Amino acid sequence: MAILPGALLRHAAERPEVPWLFWAEGWDWRWLSWGEAARRVMAEADTFAGGPPLVPSPDPLTPAALITDLASQAAGAVVRVRGSGDEWQEWGAEDLGAAADAVAREVAPAGPPAGGREILVAGRPLAEPAERAVVAWAILQGAALLL
């Protein structure tokens, strides 16, 4: 299992009903628990079976796009991020893990909030390496995501 879908499944097994992904729909706020997100990712991963090994990064970042991105990784696809200029880079599990580790080194001095967990506010496209890195870190660490 790829690193980020694996982390999602681990969090879902440990705390399936805990809210994970939050977003606004008009004036209403919606959310998905770890368990519901994992169910959606794994259901959608089946649609990628035998599909392309490379899936474009979602733009804009929406709940559905994030679920599709994680589903494609669960099916073995690598992700694409913007390199310098018009070049694209392919990131596999090791690249995502290294990017998340780099973010963790920057965040680690502050430590997690007392009695709680981190909350990441994200909204830039996952094709941007920095956004991909912080979203990867958040999924691995169990942070809530606010889109």
Side-chain angles (χ1 to χ4, degrees):
M1 176 66 58
I3 189 170
L4 298 183
L8 177 68
L9 292 175
R10 186 182 75 244
H11 294 306
E14 294 170 357
R15 46 193 174 168
E17 300 306 319
V18 171
W20 169 57
L21 184 61
F22 298 83
W23 70 96
E25 282 185 5
W27 292 101
D28 294 324
W29 282 92
R30 307 283 187 210
W31 61 272
L32 285 179
S33 67
W34 287 108
E36 180 59 25
R39 282 188 287 282
R40 290 183 185 190
V41 164
M42 297 316 294
E44 193 167 327
D46 291 339
T47 66
F48 286 99
L54 182 67
V55 175
S57 293
D59 183 17
L61 181 56
T62 64
L66 184 57
I67 295 296
T68 297
D69 186 74
L70 291 167
S72 69
Q73 291 177 52
V78 297
V79 298
R80 294 181 68 188
V81 296
R82 288 187 184 102
S84 58
D86 290 335
E87 297 175 16
W88 287 89
Q89 301 171 347
E90 296 177 8
W91 282 16
E94 292 104 20
D95 301 305
L96 289 166
D101 289 344
V103 172
R105 286 191 296 278
E106 295 293 323
V107 175
R117 64 181 173 151
E118 291 90 356
I119 299 172
L120 173 67
V121 179
R124 295 181 3 220
L126 285 180
E128 295 182 24
E131 190 75 357
R132 175 70 70 175
V134 294
V135 168
W137 166 83
I139 294 170
L140 291 171
Q141 294 301 312
L145 288 176
L146 174 64
L147 304 182

